[in-house]
Amino acid sequence: MNKDTHDYDGFEIDEVQVRKPRSKNNRIALYAIIALAAVALGVGGWMAYDASSRNKALEEAQAMIEQQQLDMEQMQLEQDFENLDREFAQFENSRQLIQDDSVKRALAEKYEAARLQVEQLQNELKSERRKSSAEIAKLRSEIDTLRALLRHYVEEIDRLNKENAALRSENEEIKSQNQRLNSQVAETSRRNEVLSERMTLAERLNVTGLSLSALNKKGKREKKVAKATQLMVSFTIPQNNSTPVGEKTIYMRIISPSGQLLEGGGSFSFEGASVPCSAKRTIEYAGEEIGGITIYWDVNTALSPGEYTVELFADNFRLTRRSFTLN
């Protein structure tokens, strides 16, 4: 090895000896730099990991807050739905008064369809652990639709109730008018009936001097009814210009003290029914008085003393009724 020497003021300096210490210092500096770089990398890595952890924690907290907000919104929307459904039930009761079934049916069907949609969305959200904002927004939209339907429903109910009130008022007025008209018609009909009855009664044959006698087999009056062979009814028909002239058949009924009809004269029509009689006689009425008219009943059963009732009928009228006591 060559040694280079230099002379500095009488001293010789070995160049190799000087270079050796300078190479050792360089190595130390390099090691220090490497160590500092490692420390710097470690600190940087730790800071990056810490920042990532903090960001993740912030994101999780933000997601939790958002989920809680969505839960609260869902709870509020469910409460809104319950309130709307309660209001609908109240108006559902009031709609019973509405007569327009087609309107009621259309409103109810629309509301029911929207209500079922809201219930379905609620059930879907309750079954999911996490709700999305889109799902909550959809539920809010459906409930807004439901609220609009209810508002329309209420308006229709109010409108129809007003129409029904007007119709009821109009019907009451018409009913009142009809009642007044019916009353007038009834009164007119009653007057006509009275007038017709008077005219009809005026046409009826009149009977006066009605009597009942018991006769024996010689045609003489018998004091004891039990010995009579005939009962004789006599009467007079006075003049009546209102009675139509012509042939008149007079039907006689005699009722015994026991309430039994003394039969034998067949029957006649009276007020739509067939009525049995004791005897009958036909006369010609010319509008003039006819006196001494007699009708006989032949005794065909044992007679007893007591009160006998005589009735006379003609032209679908009962002309007279009178009771007599026979000993």
Side-chain angles (χ1 to χ4, degrees):
M1 179 180 293
N2 294 326
K3 296 182 179 179
D4 294 329
T5 59
H6 299 276
D7 186 7
Y8 292 96
D9 294 330
F11 293 95
E12 290 182 358
I13 299 175
D14 191 346
E15 186 175 359
V16 174
Q17 292 179 348
V18 173
R19 286 179 180 174
K20 286 182 180 180
R22 187 175 294 174
S23 176
K24 184 179 182 180
N25 290 336
N26 288 340
R27 286 196 299 271
I28 293 173
L30 178 62
Y31 293 154
I33 291 171
I34 293 172
L36 289 174
V39 170
L41 289 173
V43 170
W46 177 81
M47 291 180 66
Y49 173 78
D50 184 60
S52 176
S53 298
R54 282 184 295 171
N55 289 337
K56 184 177 182 181
L58 287 175
E59 290 176 357
E60 291 178 352
Q62 182 65 29
M64 184 178 298
I65 292 172
E66 291 177 354
Q67 189 63 35
Q68 289 176 350
Q69 289 177 343
L70 293 176
D71 291 341
M72 292 179 64
E73 288 186 29
Q74 181 183 359
M75 291 175 60
Q76 182 61 47
L77 291 174
E78 290 176 354
Q79 184 63 44
D80 291 344
F81 170 70
E82 291 177 2
N83 293 337
L84 288 171
D85 208 40
R86 192 179 302 111
E87 292 179 23
F88 181 81
Q90 293 175 353
F91 285 102
E92 185 72 2
N93 293 332
S94 66
R95 82 182 180 93
Q96 301 300 329
L97 301 175
I98 299 176
Q99 301 299 320
D100 194 338
D101 291 334
S102 60
V103 175
K104 289 189 295 185
R105 191 181 306 110
L107 290 173
E109 288 176 354
K110 288 181 180 180
Y111 188 90
E112 185 65 16
R115 189 180 67 82
L116 291 176
Q117 180 68 19
V118 170
E119 286 184 352
Q120 181 179 356
L121 288 173
Q122 285 181 323
N123 292 333
E124 290 176 359
L125 289 175
K126 287 179 181 178
S127 64
E128 296 178 0
R129 298 183 60 182
R130 297 183 63 84
K131 288 90 176 169
S132 68
S133 58
E135 292 170 332
I136 296 297
K138 185 178 180 181
L139 179 60
R140 181 183 295 109
S141 176
E142 292 294 337
I143 289 181
D144 288 341
T145 300
L146 196 64
R147 183 179 289 108
L149 282 172
L150 179 60
R151 187 182 304 112
H152 177 65
Y153 189 89
V154 172
E155 292 173 352
E156 285 297 305
I157 292 292
D158 184 61
R159 180 183 65 80
L160 292 173
N161 281 336
K162 289 180 179 178
E163 290 181 358
N164 286 341
L167 288 175
R168 283 194 297 270
S169 177
E170 182 178 351
N171 288 339
E172 287 297 326
E173 177 62 25
I174 294 175
K175 183 178 179 181
S176 178
Q177 293 177 357
N178 288 337
Q179 288 177 344
R180 290 194 296 268
L181 181 59
N182 290 337
S183 178
Q184 293 174 358
V185 170
E187 178 63 19
T188 302
S189 177
R190 187 189 65 81
R191 291 178 180 176
N192 289 338
E193 287 177 359
V194 170
L195 181 59
S196 176
E197 182 179 359
R198 288 176 180 174
M199 292 176 64
T200 303
L201 289 175
E203 296 176 354
R204 184 181 63 178
L205 288 172
N206 294 323
V207 174
T208 61
L210 182 66
S211 65
L212 174 63
S213 303
L215 303 176
N216 58 27
K217 59 183 179 180
K218 293 182 180 181
K220 303 295 183 180
R221 292 183 184 275
E222 177 62 50
K223 293 182 180 180
K224 300 295 184 179
V225 69
K227 296 180 180 180
T229 59
Q230 281 186 324
L231 293 180
M232 181 184 69
V233 173
S234 62
F235 54 91
T236 297
I237 296 179
Q239 178 182 353
N240 186 353
N241 295 328
S242 298
T243 302
V245 297
E247 192 176 79
K248 306 291 183 183
T249 299
I250 301 174
Y251 300 92
M252 177 183 70
R253 283 167 54 89
I254 302 176
I255 312 298
S256 69
S258 63
Q260 299 297 318
L261 173 68
L262 302 181
E263 297 183 355
S267 63
F268 63 98
S269 178
F270 179 72
E271 293 183 349
S274 180
V275 180
C277 65
S278 304
K280 62 183 177 181
R281 179 176 176 179
T282 300
I283 63 172
E284 187 69 28
Y285 182 70
E288 303 293 333
E289 179 179 308
I290 303 176
I293 302 174
T294 56
I295 303 177
Y296 297 92
W297 178 76
D298 294 330
V299 177
N300 56 21
T301 185
L303 299 179
S304 59
E307 186 176 86
Y308 289 78
T309 301
V310 176
E311 294 179 327
L312 297 179
F313 294 81
D315 296 334
N316 208 32
F317 290 107
R318 186 167 68 179
L319 306 181
T320 187
R321 176 187 175 92
R322 185 177 174 184
S323 296
F324 304 88
T325 300
L326 299 179
N327 296 320

